[in-house]
Amino acid sequence: MRDWIAVLDFGSQYTHLIARRIRECGVYSEILPYNITAEKIQEINPKGIVLSGGPATVTSSRSPFPDEKIFSLGIPILGICYGAQLMAKFFGGKVEKAKEREYGKVILKVRSRLTLFKGLSEKEVVWMSHGDKITQLPPGFRIIGSTENSSFAAIEERKRKFFGVQFHPEVVHTPKGKIIFRNFLKEICGCQSSWNMKSFAKETMEKLKKEIGQEKVVCALSGGVDSSVLTFLLYKTIGKNLFAIFIDNGLLRENEAEIVKERFKRFYHINLITVSCEDIFLKALKGVTDPEEKRKIIGHTFIKVFEEEAKKLGKVKFLAQGTLYPDVIESRSAWGSPSSTIKTHHNVGGLPLSLKFKLIEPFKFLFKDEVRLLGKELGLPEEIIYRHPFPGPGLAVRIIGEVTKEKLKILRKADGILLEEIKRRGLYQKLWQAFCVLLPVKTVGVMGDKRTYENVIALRAVTSLDGMTADWAKLPFSLLERISNRIVNEVKGINRVVYDISSKPPSTIEWE
C-alpha cells in the first residue's frame, strides 16, 4: 500500500485544501471524520495525521475533540489553527480568546528551521484566521514561530513528532505553505512520492477489472469532463461491456447532444444509447421555482429514465458514476462533522433507495483538476479535458424561477455568445467556469426609439483550482462590452446585461 496521510476534519472550509496540497506533493491524502477511533486509524495505517481547522472554539466544553488515543499511536501529527489549539490544550497548555482577532496576511518570525520550517527564511508571510490563541506552551513543547499578535504561532514537540501552526499553510495566501507540507510529509513522516494519475489509472483499472469481471456496466454520459473521463476509463477497462446512456433532457447547451453523439459513438465507437426526453423533464419542472426542488426533481426524473433504458439491456449489475470529492463534501455534513450542507448534488443525493445496480464511483476521492490530469493520462483531447464544469441539472439551475422552453431558448443563445467571445480572446482555459444566468426580472430599455420591457442576463466568470473556492474573473471591459452588445442585439427578449463580481465564499459559483 502506498504512503498516505489522514486529514481529520473539524469543519474548516479549508479542509479540502489540506488534502489537495498534500496530494500536490505526490502523497495521497484522505479526509476522515474528526472522531474516528484510534483503533481504526491504527488499522488503516497512515504515515501521518493532520488536524484541520474549524469554526469551533476549544474554550467551549462542547467543542469537537478527537479520540485522545491518537496521540499515543506513535504517528506524526500536524495541527492547523483549531487543530493546533486542541493539541496544545490536550497536553496541558492554555488557549484563550484573543483580545484582537488575527485575520489575513501576517509576518511569521521563524525561530527554528530544522524540521517543519526547513528551507524557510527568517520572516515569512502566512495567512491567519482565528479568534483564539495559545497563551501558554504545553510541557515538552517549544516555540518555532511567532507573530506580532501570537507568541506561539508555531510549536513543536520534536521527540513525538507533534507540530502545531496557528496559521493556514494550505491556502495560497501562505506562499511557502507547500514547503511546510513537504517538510511534514518527507522529513517528518518519511513519505515517498507515489501518488500520481498514472499510478491511479493503472491501479483503478486493475481494481475495476477484478470487481466487474464479465458483467455489464452502465454509466450516464453528459459530455462533461467527469462523465467523459469516466466513460473512457471504463471503455479502456472493459470494452464492449460498457453501455453509456446519454439523456438529452432538454436542459443542455446549444448543439451539445449532437457533439456528444459525434464524439463518443462515431469517433470512439463506444456503445452509446441516446434518449431524447425534453418534454418529460419540462413537464416535471412545470411551476417549480425552488432550486433544491428543481435539483431533486431532475435527479429523480433522470434516474427513472435511466433505469428504464438500462432495463432494455437485460441483466446489468453495475452503475458507474463520476462523483467527485467536492460533490461529497458539499452535499452533506460529512460523517456528522461540524461542516454544513451547501447544496444537493444530483449524483450524490438523487439516487433512490430502490436502485437495482451496484454502484461504482472511481473518482469519489478525486478533485476536478485530478480528473483532468487523468483524462490527459488516458489520451483524451484538450477540448474534453479543459471543458468548463456544467451542473448535472443543466440550464435549469441557471434560470432563476420556473423553467420553460422559451427561457431555455433565450439562455442557450446568450450562453453561446458568451463562450464564443471568451474562446475568441483565448481566455477559455484560463477560467474555471463562464456562463449566463437568466434572471426572473424585467427592466425598461430603449431599442429603435421604442420602449422595451424585457429580461436581464447575468454573466458569471470565475477562476478556481477545484471549485471549492473561487474568485470572480477580471475580464477586460472591452470584452464585457462586446458580449453585452451582442447579447442585447442578437438575443430576442434581453435588453440588459449585468456582471456578477461575487467570489466563493460567500457566494457559490452557480446561482442555484
Side-chain angles (χ1 to χ4, degrees), residues 322-386:
T323 309
L324 300 186
Y325 220 178
D327 296 340
V328 176
I329 294 168
E330 283 197 339
S331 290
R332 59 183 178 269
S333 182
W335 321 287
S337 77
S339 57
S340 61
T341 298
I342 308 298
K343 60 188 176 186
T344 300
H345 282 264
H346 74 290
N347 57 344
V348 178
L351 295 173
L353 295 175
S354 60
L355 189 70
K356 301 296 191 298
F357 307 108
K358 185 176 179 182
L359 195 59
I360 296 174
E361 296 176 297
F363 305 160
K364 193 173 181 179
F365 296 105
L366 293 187
F367 293 101
K368 175 73 77 172
D369 60 320
E370 291 176 322
V371 174
R372 294 190 198 279
L373 291 173
L374 177 60
K376 194 172 183 179
E377 185 65 39
L378 294 172
L380 284 167
E382 286 193 355
E383 63 185 45
I384 294 178
I385 295 170
Y386 294 108

Side-chain angles (χ1 to χ4, degrees), residues 477-493:
F477 289 158
S478 59
L479 174 59
L480 291 172
E481 180 181 33
R482 178 167 173 78
I483 293 168
S484 176
N485 287 340
R486 281 197 61 192
I487 288 175
V488 170
N489 285 313
E490 298 175 32
V491 183
K492 188 176 180 182

Side-chain angles (χ1 to χ4, degrees), residues 396-425:
V397 291
R398 293 178 179 175
I399 294 173
I400 311 301
E402 184 182 9
V403 179
T404 66
K405 187 172 280 192
E406 180 59 30
K407 289 178 181 178
L408 285 164
K409 183 180 177 182
I410 291 172
L411 183 55
R412 279 195 192 98
K413 182 78 173 173
D415 198 65
I417 291 171
L418 170 65
L419 294 179
E420 182 182 319
E421 291 298 330
I422 283 173
K423 288 176 181 177
R424 184 176 291 168
R425 287 286 189 103

